[in-house]
Amino acid sequence: MPINYKIELNKSQYDAVTFDEGPSLVIAGAGSGKTRVLTYKIAYLLEKGYAPWSILALTFTNKAAREMKNRISNKIGPDQTRGLWMGTFHSIFSRILRIEADAIGFSPRFTIYDASDSKNLVKSIVKEMGLDEKVYKPSAIQNRISQAKNRLISPDSYAANGEIIQADLNAKIPATKDIYKFYWERCKQADALDFDDLLFYTYLLFEKNPDICRKYSDMFNYVLVDEYQDTNYAQHCIIWQLTKDNQKVCVVGDDAQSIYSFRGANIDNILNFTRQYKNARLFKLEQNYRSTQTIVNAANSLIDKNSRQIKKDVYSEKEKGEPLGVFNAYSDVEEGDIVANKIVELHREHDYTFNDFAILYRTNAQSRIFEEALRKRTLPYCIYGGLSFYQRKEIKDVISYFRLAVNPNDEEAFKRIVNYPARGIGDTTIGKIIEAATNNHISLWNVICNPDANGLSINKGTKEKLQRFHDLMAQFIKEAPEKDAFEIGQELVKQSGIMNDIYQDRTPESLSRQENIEELLNGMSDFCSSRREEGDEQHTKLSDYLSEISLLTDQDDKKNEDGEKITLMTIHSAKGLEFKTVFVVGLEENLFPSPMAYDSMRQLEEERRLFYVAITRAEEHCFLSFARSRYRYGKMEFSNPSRFLNDIDTHFLELPKGNSFATRQKSDLFDDDRDEPYTDKRSYSYREHLEEERPRPMRNWERPQKESPQQAQPTRPLVNRTLKRVNSILQRPSVNSSPEAANIKVGQLIEHERFGRGEITKVEGVGDNCKATVQFQNSGVKQLLLKFARFKIIE
């Protein structure tokens, strides 16, 4: 039965689907039925008489391609869809390259290298060239080569580009051009293409063989592209090669959801589409079927602050819905407690499953606080698109150092770190150590303590490498019972070489590892401070810390494995998903927006689009939270709420209310000029052009913090900021008790630096042993040793 398009589509969708007279750009707002339009458009073209093999549909995931193909089959029958060229850019282009392999100098049986294969080849070339692998890190060089290919820069063009060569010189890796050349040649010799080559060689195929390009442009009478805002330069150029003559192309996307520039995506591709295709028609899908009116209006008011965009008026005809709740937490710890408590409340009061909740954050490292808050309440959760914090490789590496420092006979910890960072202790040597340990019935550590006596047959050079590792660990084995966990932890990370290893490059993967290591040290500092404040200073050692986190890393508890779970994920991972209730957390300057976004307005606008994506994942409830303080770089830092909160019209927000302990005006909760007893607040300065984007009067939450002349420095270059972070994380934080501790009484209300507001319910002991029991609003009951407690009396 033919599809009744007028009944099954709204007017905007119908117009976009039935237009086939030339190029078209479909701007699909969040939740507006983008996939529906693509599906129906392909079905429409097939019903109109287009042969399946004459339609090319390009997606970014195989899942999206399968979903669309199944939908089309259900609509018009599977016979009609056979022969469709539908799939990811890489799968479609690899198919073309196998057909035309001779023209690019490869055989049709060429191998496709994955990321691991590529990295290993780069590593081999670096070694063969006699270069230092610590300087020419394979992952960083691989990333540089990938970026070049996605910009269609060949090895010869790379070597001839003065700007690129200067950048490599500045990064002290001038031989990158030679590595790229050898890598290119070795791939050819191996009859192999890497993932980026599938795009690059397709472009070269069409560029150098006009007849082949014409063959495919004539064959594909209609080209459709999904998620066009995520295309990179190479993908954009190939689409132009295929469609510049017949102009039968339809691209679908949303410039407001362009958030992948770090992967090479270029928003200019979608913004400039109607300039490149002169007769292009623009269609806007503006009805949101996902979210309440209030959520949609809040997101609109946010994204309206971006200057570079295709204007649209997204609306919803669903119920009005509740305002977006804003949570003002005193610390990251209280933020975790507030979010967890709110989930418990909504789960109890509404007919929600745990699957209906998502906690979205800017960086993976932020998951730790929320994991711990959920675990305290035995709430089931899963980390989407990543591992639980303590299961990430870099975290397990560091913890293995800690384990060996506490228990030198830990075999698994020994094997994991004996050659990390690389020390030239290979698998053969490790095998000999294991053999000697087995023969002598002793641990691996005991073997290297006295290699000759234990029959370890190794050469002098290897023996010296093992001795250096032994001396390093012996120092920490001795200090572990004496120093607290944070003190020994930060020293171990620095002296082991881990810090130097992970700060060698600026790839997204490396940045994530850096943030995770920093967050681990933040957690250790928090652990020690908490134990002291609760009067348990004797249990702040590394062994105590490992005992605590072993409960968090225990993977044996399989309950809820297939049941309902709260989802934790980065906002980048959340794109395309939806949940009834969404918490967007960590909305603070220098966190969201990321400090790396301050260098240009273009980057700042992408951060705002990321926030827009986060809000539009919510169907019924959306909550925004920020912390006044959080452990960062191993010490407590105070911060301002994100400037993006100021971008949302207050008509759509429910600002923090007074609590049961005291009544305050809403605006007071955002007043950054109130006195703080703990420490001077840290203030941040930004480039002048970023401040100029806000001509309207500032709200209380936007006021700059009080600063000293020494603090008010211009933003430093990114590399200097990174070095500052590395140095600051290795500094011991000071611990100052509140001067008001001597006047504490039962019934008083306090504001605590980490736990927020609470009421004193009990005071006991005298002098240095004086303790107070406090009922906190969000963090429950805590017993604080007053000589370490950091709070102020508010009533």
Side-chain angles (χ1 to χ4, degrees), residues 56 118 276 385 515 634 700:
L56 171 63
S118 299
Q276 185 170 13
E515 290 164 350
N700 286 328

Side-chain angles (χ1 to χ4, degrees), residues 21-52:
E21 298 170 11
S24 61
L25 169 61
V26 181
I27 296 297
S32 63
K34 170 182 66 67
T35 303
R36 186 178 183 82
V37 165
L38 273 173
T39 300
Y40 275 79
K41 189 169 186 75
I42 295 170
Y44 176 81
L45 293 172
L46 291 170
E47 284 193 339
K48 196 172 179 183
Y50 282 82

